[in-house]
Amino acid sequence: MVSKVVAFLTLAVLTLSIAGRAEAQPADYRTIFTFSAPVTLPGVTLPAGKYIFRLADPDSSRKVINVLSEDGKKSLAMLQTIPNQAMKAPKDAEIRFMETSAKVPPPVKTWWYAGKAIGYEFIYPRKQALELAKATSEPILTTTQDTTDLANAELSRVTGSESNQAAVTVEQEPPAREVSGRAQQADVAAAPAQTQSPACGESVPEANARRRFLGCWRSLSRSIRSFSR
């Protein structure tokens, strides 16, 4: 009987621990970054300040990154990306910058979430990419032709001049590579926006936590019944 009680308690701790970890990680990977100077993103230059980066559309092949104000109330940019894979997942969320001259606000190349080997490389509009190519030796991800439809356009990487470009194939599981560029770690993971459930007035995270707890409790109750037989 003692061995059954020990097994039950172990199961209880493991089940509730897993539920807690799953609830703690934001589904949209929202993360806060603080910039001490202006930075360049596709189509926009952000002044120094705090910003939230989050996945706007986790189910699309070209992930859309939403950049918001620090309080999460104002959307500042919706940016197209493609997946990159790192040799080793970063311990902390981070972004990587391209190296440029001091006259150009550093362009953000990729965004990586803590513990995830798959990151997101930003697609720059072609005109902006060609301008940036003059200030950096790194290849810049852009569209093969001038277009505003970054979500569906054929892609290439340009280096130095318009004629020096290489076609890019979008892969959901690209080959792993060493991550390059200057790294900046995130401040903290931002709390998801609090919306209300019309059924009971709970916030969405609270409702999710309650459902997970009840599911775990039902599972444990079944285990108790089986042990007592």
Side-chain angles (χ1 to χ4, degrees):
M1 181 64 184
V2 173
S3 62
K4 288 185 176 181
V5 172
V6 171
F8 161 69
L9 293 175
T10 301
L11 177 62
V13 170
L14 287 174
T15 304
L16 294 175
S17 173
I18 290 170
R21 284 198 300 271
E23 189 59 40
Q25 185 179 80
D28 61 2
Y29 293 178
R30 61 178 56 214
T31 313
I32 294 176
F33 290 97
T34 298
F35 302 125
S36 58
V39 300
T40 299
L41 282 166
V44 63
T45 298
L46 298 178
K50 287 181 180 285
Y51 300 93
I52 296 173
F53 283 54
R54 61 178 287 271
L55 281 177
D57 187 4
D59 297 325
S60 68
S61 60
R62 295 187 186 179
K63 307 298 185 186
V64 178
I65 307 301
N66 186 199
V67 180
L68 303 105
S69 56
E70 181 184 1
D71 60 9
K73 295 180 179 180
K74 184 177 181 181
S75 178
L76 304 173
M78 296 288 281
L79 307 173
Q80 297 287 335
T81 69
I82 65 170
N84 277 197
Q85 184 164 198
M87 298 289 288
K88 183 180 179 181
K91 180 181 178 182
D92 301 306
E94 65 179 31
I95 56 174
R96 293 282 180 146
F97 291 102
M98 303 179 208
E99 297 296 337
T100 60
S101 67
K103 296 180 181 180
V104 179
V108 178
K109 182 177 183 179
T110 52
W111 172 45
W112 304 84
Y113 194 71
K116 301 293 183 181
I118 295 293
Y120 308 94
E121 182 178 4
F122 291 93
I123 304 171
Y124 279 79
R126 188 167 181 80
K127 183 178 179 180
Q128 184 185 15
L130 292 172
E131 287 297 317
L132 289 173
K134 299 174 184 177
T136 180
S137 59
E138 296 187 46
I140 300 171
L141 182 63
T142 185
T143 56
T144 302
Q145 303 292 332
D146 254 332
T147 179
T148 57
D149 186 10
L150 274 62
N152 301 298
E154 293 183 356
L155 303 177
S156 62
R157 287 190 175 88
V158 296
T159 307
S161 68
E162 188 166 1
S163 60
N164 191 6
Q165 64 179 13
V168 172
T169 300
V170 180
E171 301 176 77
Q172 293 311 299
E173 294 188 8
R177 297 185 176 90
E178 289 290 344
V179 178
S180 63
R182 176 172 62 86
Q184 178 177 325
Q185 273 70 47
D187 299 3
V188 292
Q194 299 291 303
T195 57
Q196 296 298 314
S197 165
C200 55
E202 292 176 307
S203 69
V204 170
E206 289 171 347
N208 288 342
R210 178 176 58 81
R211 284 194 293 271
R212 288 179 185 277
F213 178 80
L214 289 175
C216 291
W217 182 252
R218 292 189 190 100
S219 176
L220 292 173
S221 297
R222 288 194 294 270
S223 299
I224 293 172
R225 289 196 294 271
S226 67
F227 285 140
S228 63
R229 289 172 184 168

